[in-house]
Amino acid sequence: MARRIIVCDGAELARLWSRIGAADNEELFWVPREEESRARPPGFRALPGGVSPDAFQKLNAKEDDGFALVSEDAPFVRAAVAAIVQSGPSGAPLLVLSDDLATDDLPEHPCLRRTGLRSLIRDDVDDEFDHLNNLQRVTSLRRVLGARQKIAILLQPDPDPDGIACGYALRVLLGRNRTTAPLVSFGEVTRPENRAMVSALGMEVRRISPEDLDEFDALALLDVQPPVFGESIAPRLRSIDVVVDHHPERSGYDALVKDIRTSYGATSSILTEYVRAAALELHPKLATALLYGIKTDTQLLGRETSAHDIDAFAYLHSEHSPALLRRIERPALPTRDLRALGRALTRSTVEEGVHLLVLGRVREDVIPQVADLALQAEGADWAVAAGFVGPDLVFSVRNVGHVRAAGDVVRAVVEGVGVGGGHRSMAKGIIPLKAFRKVYGGATHAVVRSALLQAFIAAIRREEIPRQDVAREES
């Protein structure tokens, strides 16, 4: 919000605002009451003409400016809102500060928020403007998507809890259902806890092809951006309606509404702020979904976490369902995959801070779960869990967070032989077994363990990745 225009009803409330303290981007105006002294309150200018369209027209308000109306008088507030609407942007964000007025006393407006007054301190005022800024985002979403017949809420392939929770929250914000706003993905939900989450919430993530997007008249991407889908699909996503994400911003596409917040640890934190700003009833299912989205993406507020994530988590915690959360977090693991983990643990070692586990042939969703577990080994700064999935070698990587970025390390390891990437402390790589055998001379457990261990140690040190030498040592 570029500028805050504060309008106080009378000198007493203007003096109260002065005691709260004004921020640098606030312009202070007061409307004198007839019975009051005309002495100007410190820091304030009189609003010439009172709360009239002409008076507000002279303020030259822009689209991203916000208004605060400080008053205990309903007619004053209604007149001010009407004048602001007539004088400038009809959807200007409005904050009403009053201890006496209730929501029913206020006029209809798509971006209006009410809060108390005399109990506020400066930090509270700043928080209320943050809520107002989020309400403005919600208003934009509703304006862009409200009249559309069928909205695709597109998540990343193999959607994770953060994306699923955000899709659920957006649907609630828009007042839609699974028919008019389905959650869709170009891949299946594979991890057991993610499938348990979808089942427990009574939701569905529909797998579609890029061509299926033609059946929708609106497209919203949550917790993902178009370039992630690769060159073959990204051209279909160059012009979309909504993108909300916390990952580093990518280029090459346009969106009518774009909200990228890289300082946040989870996109669920952004959607929580939307829900809070819109004053929606926070029922347990929605609270649990968003809480779990934050919990998984920040590893229970222990990784890449901001004050926004902590505030959102605290807001959700009092309303979530512990029983529902337990159902999501404790999915069953196949006995075969547990045996594979046991065998891998008997051969595991921590070398130069890298704990590597080779699981053999397992279900893909088991691999990142093992990587999470492997990072707990004594002396481990890095954990790598690898397994054979179909024709590929798939590995998940975790680190303690204060070392080289996991995504950069994985990209170095797979360069020229596979694909991969990720965040600072977690990443994923895929190497076709055919390419792996060509480079390393084989794909036995021993070759995979030796090759990956040397490759990761070299990548962490920013050294050249050894290739054929490893194959010769194992042959």
Side-chain angles (χ1 to χ4, degrees), residues 52 77 101 128 155 158 162 212 218 250 252 261-262 298 342 418 423:
S52 66
V77 172
L101 299 181
E128 288 298 332
L155 311 179
D158 196 0
D162 193 21
D212 292 331
R250 306 285 197 97
R261 307 188 193 182
T262 57
T298 64
H423 300 273

Side-chain angles (χ1 to χ4, degrees), residues 322-367:
L324 182 59
L325 187 61
R326 283 194 297 272
R327 286 175 56 193
I328 296 171
E329 289 188 309
R330 297 179 184 175
L333 280 175
T335 303
R336 184 193 68 180
D337 293 335
L338 286 173
R339 292 196 186 103
L341 171 59
R343 290 191 297 270
L345 285 170
T346 63
R347 304 186 190 97
S348 75
T349 58
V350 178
E351 297 187 32
E352 298 194 36
V354 179
H355 187 201
L356 177 70
L357 293 171
V358 181
L359 300 168
R361 191 158 290 281
V362 293
R363 206 170 65 191
E364 183 171 355
D365 57 271
V366 173
I367 297 171

Side-chain angles (χ1 to χ4, degrees), residues 35-221:
E35 69 277 10
E36 288 181 331
S37 164
R38 295 287 165 164
R40 180 172 63 88
F44 279 79
R45 290 177 284 167
L47 189 66
V51 286
S52 66
D54 287 343
F56 284 106
Q57 183 74 44
K58 294 175 182 177
L59 300 182
N60 296 316
K62 304 296 189 297
E63 287 282 351
D64 55 350
D65 291 339
F67 290 84
L69 304 175
V70 186
S71 177
E72 304 290 7
D73 183 61
F76 177 92
V77 172
R78 286 194 290 268
V81 171
I84 292 170
V85 170
Q86 292 179 48
S87 67
S90 59
L94 302 173
L95 178 64
V96 175
L97 298 102
S98 174
D99 292 324
D100 295 343
L101 299 181
T103 302
D104 291 344
D105 297 320
L106 305 178
E108 288 291 329
H109 186 276
C111 193
L112 184 148
R113 179 178 175 85
R114 190 203 71 81
T115 188
L117 174 58
R118 287 171 177 80
S119 62
L120 297 183
I121 60 174
R122 166 46 53 184
D123 287 348
D124 297 326
V125 172
D126 291 338
D127 287 344
E128 288 298 332
F129 272 105
D130 286 342
H131 291 319
L132 187 62
N133 195 37
N134 281 304
L135 180 57
Q136 190 176 20
R137 300 277 191 178
V138 174
T139 302
S140 297
L141 287 171
R142 289 171 171 168
R143 183 181 66 251
V144 168
L145 300 176
R148 307 296 181 89
Q149 294 297 312
K150 195 170 183 181
I151 304 163
I153 300 176
L154 180 61
L155 311 179
Q156 60 184 275
D158 196 0
D160 65 6
D162 193 21
I164 294 168
C166 291
Y168 183 19
L170 179 61
R171 184 186 288 169
V172 172
L173 282 163
L174 298 174
R176 298 294 187 115
N177 55 38
R178 68 176 63 192
T179 301
T180 61
L183 275 59
V184 300
S185 172
F186 298 136
E188 299 282 356
V189 179
T190 62
R191 293 188 64 167
E193 64 269 35
N194 299 352
R195 293 202 303 269
M197 177 183 186
V198 170
S199 175
L201 296 173
M203 300 185 67
E204 177 188 10
V205 179
R206 174 182 153 198
R207 182 172 185 174
I208 65 170
S209 68
E211 292 74 22
D212 292 331
L213 291 175
D214 294 339
E215 71 179 80
F216 301 94
D217 60 352
L219 180 59
L221 272 62

Side-chain angles (χ1 to χ4, degrees), residues 379-399:
D381 292 327
W382 293 82
V384 182
F388 303 123
V389 179
D392 300 318
L393 174 66
V394 178
F395 51 89
S396 289
V397 179
R398 303 288 186 267
N399 68 34

